[in-house]
Amino acid sequence: MRVRIYSLKPHASLLLLGTFSACYFLAMIVARKTLAPDDLYFWNALVTLVAMSFTFCFFGSEQLFLRFSGVSRTGQVRINRTTLCLMGAALVLFTVLLAALSEGYFFQLGSYAIYPVLELCVGLFVFVYNLLRVRKSFSTAQLAANGWKFTILIGVLFAPLGTAPLIIMVGLGAACVGAVWLFAKNRNALEINDDPMPEQWKTLFLGFLLSLFVLMLLNNADRLIITRYGSEALFSEYVYLVTLLLLPFSLLSNYFGFKEMAYLKRHYDQQAFVRKTLGVGALAAGLFLPWFALIYMAQGLLEVPVEVSYALPCLVIVTCRCAYALLSALFGLKASPSRMHITNVISLIAVLLAAIIVIESEVTIISMLYLLCAFWVSRSFIVLWAIWKIEGY
């Protein structure tokens, strides 16, 4: 029995990630079945804002923390004060911009007070996650980053008993308390110094900012468009549908990318990499088809209208996204900063053009799915083109 327990330890962080993702998946179903339309819209808007914030709340400066921090033999993480100040200033600016854009153009939740509370929570999740990640405390890092998916599930279960937005926010706040507790346990592991910033940190910061901005748009532009140009009911229906159909494959793509990054650091063989990329895409496609059939047959029970026409764009999305996870791992390891900038600018132009075409035509669920499809197809081919331009790859 002891051998089996120890054999699970290397996979504990993955098991936690899967468990928390299952909590989030279940929370979406519970929200759909129990919340009133206005409360359901708040819930879907909130989880969208959380997803955007996780990607971009520090404007990419947390990547400087990962890059410039050092770890002593005793496990202390050393970082200069300037990087932490930059992260704090970015979080404040992001909060202001998010509140202004959200209330002025997109979600219009009716209270500016929500945004500083939300960003304080997410900022803590991201910071503590990265601190623990640098220390290689991967399981505890998953608790910090994804524990909110469990507490918010509890909040959704109790939401019908009171003021749903308040109870849901309390659930998020409970996860924030947990993140503070994790940080307090590890507070001695952070050593702040006054060392100068390394050379070219501004160029690196710009690269991280642009990369994560593009990633945020790839994952959330469809939701921003549908809440801006559609109705609240359409937005809630779309978020629920996309979660049921695509969330498991988002987790799968993250897993593929994580594993490939570790492998590529040790060895790279072009032919083997091409076969693996094609194999991962084929595996994703093969898993998606029965999954789509299952959701299609259970749509009455799940209260989600699924049309057969949704299958093709979703199939392309999951195939490209899982294959892209490997391409992205290779590109991130081998591409120069200038090539990253060029790739991100081209991707940003492609995203904006596709979004304009959809907005000028008609905003529907099927048009949003094809928009998401266009995002991932274009991003995959742009990165593939960029990899071809790297000598030896």
Side-chain angles (χ1 to χ4, degrees), residues 65 69-70 72 75-80 84 127 130-132 134-135 183 185-193:
F65 176 84
S69 60
S72 67
Q76 270 196 319
V77 178
R78 300 185 300 271
I79 189 65
N80 62 45
L84 295 179
F127 177 75
N130 283 304
L131 173 64
L132 296 171
V134 170
R135 298 191 71 207
F183 177 72
K185 285 189 64 178
N186 294 272
R187 64 185 182 277
N188 293 328
L190 183 66
E191 178 188 329
I192 304 173
N193 57 55

Side-chain angles (χ1 to χ4, degrees), residues 160-228:
L161 302 179
T163 305
L166 177 61
I167 295 177
I168 292 170
M169 289 296 292
V170 168
L172 193 65
C176 184
V177 172
V180 171
W181 178 74
L182 288 175
F183 177 72
K185 285 189 64 178
N186 294 272
R187 64 185 182 277
N188 293 328
L190 183 66
E191 178 188 329
I192 304 173
N193 57 55
D194 293 310
D195 294 344
M197 294 288 279
E199 293 184 6
Q200 297 184 327
W201 73 268
K202 293 180 182 178
T203 302
L204 285 170
F205 177 46
L206 178 62
F208 290 137
L209 185 150
L210 187 56
S211 294
L212 292 181
F213 180 65
V214 170
L215 180 61
M216 183 186 69
L217 290 181
L218 286 171
N219 288 320
N220 298 286
D222 54 333
R223 301 187 182 196
L224 295 176
I225 291 171
I226 204 167
T227 193
R228 173 66 176 169

Side-chain angles (χ1 to χ4, degrees), residues 97-351:
L97 291 176
L98 184 68
L101 292 173
S102 179
E103 291 301 310
Y105 297 97
F106 297 109
F107 300 107
Q108 298 176 343
L109 299 180
S111 174
Y112 284 96
I114 291 173
Y115 299 93
V117 174
L118 178 66
E119 295 313 312
L120 176 62
C121 291
V122 176
L124 276 168
F125 299 156
V126 175
F127 177 75
V128 177
Y129 165 72
N130 283 304
L131 173 64
L132 296 171
R133 184 181 171 193
V134 170
R135 298 191 71 207
K136 297 183 179 180
S137 301
F138 297 120
S139 297
T140 313
Q142 286 297 335
L143 286 172
N146 293 297
W148 68 274
K149 295 176 181 177
F150 172 74
T151 59
I152 209 166
L153 168 61
I154 302 302
V156 172
L157 289 171
F158 285 97
L161 302 179
T163 305
L166 177 61
I167 295 177
I168 292 170
M169 289 296 292
V170 168
L172 193 65
C176 184
V177 172
V180 171
W181 178 74
L182 288 175
F183 177 72
K185 285 189 64 178
N186 294 272
R187 64 185 182 277
N188 293 328
L190 183 66
E191 178 188 329
I192 304 173
N193 57 55
D194 293 310
D195 294 344
M197 294 288 279
E199 293 184 6
Q200 297 184 327
W201 73 268
K202 293 180 182 178
T203 302
L204 285 170
F205 177 46
L206 178 62
F208 290 137
L209 185 150
L210 187 56
S211 294
L212 292 181
F213 180 65
V214 170
L215 180 61
M216 183 186 69
L217 290 181
L218 286 171
N219 288 320
N220 298 286
D222 54 333
R223 301 187 182 196
L224 295 176
I225 291 171
I226 204 167
T227 193
R228 173 66 176 169
Y229 297 98
S231 63
E232 291 187 1
L234 183 64
F235 171 76
S236 294
E237 183 178 323
Y238 176 77
V239 172
Y240 184 55
L241 173 74
V242 169
T243 300
L244 292 185
L245 290 179
L246 302 182
L247 178 64
F249 299 92
S250 175
L251 176 62
L252 194 64
S253 68
N254 291 338
Y255 176 71
F256 285 142
F258 172 76
K259 296 291 287 186
E260 189 63 17
M261 178 71 76
Y263 177 79
L264 288 171
K265 283 187 174 183
R266 297 192 303 269
H267 177 72
Y268 171 74
D269 179 85
Q270 186 186 65
Q271 292 184 346
F273 180 79
V274 171
R275 288 196 299 270
K276 186 183 293 186
T277 302
L278 294 175
V280 164
L283 175 63
L287 292 174
F288 173 75
L289 291 174
W291 177 255
F292 181 86
L294 179 64
I295 298 296
Y296 182 82
M297 290 186 293
Q299 61 179 294
L301 177 64
L302 295 172
E303 297 183 13
V304 54
V306 181
E307 298 181 10
V308 175
S309 59
Y310 298 165
L312 179 59
C314 288
L315 176 64
V316 175
I317 291 166
V318 300
T319 303
C320 284
R321 193 167 185 173
C322 288
Y324 169 79
L326 276 68
L327 297 173
S328 178
L330 178 62
F331 185 67
L333 282 174
K334 300 300 179 181
S336 64
S338 61
R339 191 164 297 280
M340 286 185 177
H341 292 340
I342 293 171
T343 302
N344 287 322
V345 169
I346 296 173
S347 298
L348 183 58
I349 293 172
V351 167

